[in-house]
Amino acid sequence: MDEATLRDIPLFSKLSRKQRKLLALRADEVDVQPGKLVCRKGESANELYVIEQGTAKVVRDDQYLDELGPGDFFGEMGVVDDAPRNANVIATTPLTLMILTGAVLRDLEREHPELAARINATIEQRRHWLEPAL
Ligand code: CMP
């Protein structure tokens, strides 16, 4: 993937061009068809996904939790907490996703504490929404 794609993603907007280039080298990109289950509740997690294009819905059992779109990320709870996926995430349109493995994410968080803080704040908020289910 190229550095310019990362420029449009709020999570990475504070990184320098050079830092985005380095990150782009370490990230993968995948295209996903509508209807595809990207995260399955209960499965072990080793990847965080960032939506470059398209939308996905977050569903837990029969409960609809959220709709995510370009610039949003998901899968962070499982990776950061080293825990099973909390919900299903399903593509609702064709999706282009950036994939960060746990190892890449950990390096990134170590190098950029403000990025880690942003991810942790999202986890806190989502955890709150998942209660009382959790
Ligand atoms: P994870 O638990 O790894 O896999 C499922 C993902 O769904 C989870 O990480 C979050 O990224 C996302 N998710 C869980 N709960 C919510 C929520 N309430 N709102 C939005 N996204 C959520």
Side-chain angles (χ1 to χ4, degrees):
M1 64 183 305
D2 63 3
E3 176 271 329
T5 307
L6 297 189
R7 223 180 295 156
D8 296 330
I9 297 172
L11 188 60
F12 307 126
S13 60
K14 295 267 164 59
L15 302 188
S16 68
R17 187 155 183 268
K18 188 174 169 195
Q19 288 166 337
R20 283 196 299 264
K21 272 191 169 174
L22 287 173
L23 177 59
L25 287 174
R26 299 191 71 194
D28 285 321
E29 200 173 40
V30 68
D31 289 321
V32 166
Q33 295 302 309
K36 162 104 178 161
L37 187 58
V38 184
C39 290
R40 185 190 295 269
K41 185 183 159 221
E43 280 193 350
S44 60
N46 192 38
E47 278 121 11
L48 177 149
Y49 301 90
V50 185
I51 299 180
E52 292 175 27
Q53 292 175 48
T55 56
K57 64 179 174 180
V58 184
V59 180
R60 186 185 165 101
D61 304 323
D62 286 336
Q63 192 189 2
Y64 169 91
L65 291 172
D66 208 356
E67 172 96 7
L68 305 175
D72 291 330
F73 56 88
F74 61 90
E76 76 295 339
M77 296 177 93
V79 180
V80 172
D81 297 346
D82 194 18
R85 299 290 190 201
N86 285 289
N88 290 340
V89 183
I90 302 156
T92 45
T93 68
L95 277 180
T96 304
L97 297 173
M98 173 187 184
I99 305 179
L100 296 181
T101 63
V104 172
L105 181 65
R106 278 186 286 279
D107 285 350
L108 195 66
E109 288 196 324
R110 199 171 38 242
E111 290 157 18
H112 305 284
E114 74 289 350
L115 197 146
R118 195 161 176 164
I119 292 174
N120 287 335
T122 301
I123 291 177
E124 277 312 302
Q125 190 178 45
R126 289 177 173 171
R127 202 193 301 284
H128 184 68
W129 285 338
L130 284 172
E131 288 163 2
L134 279 184

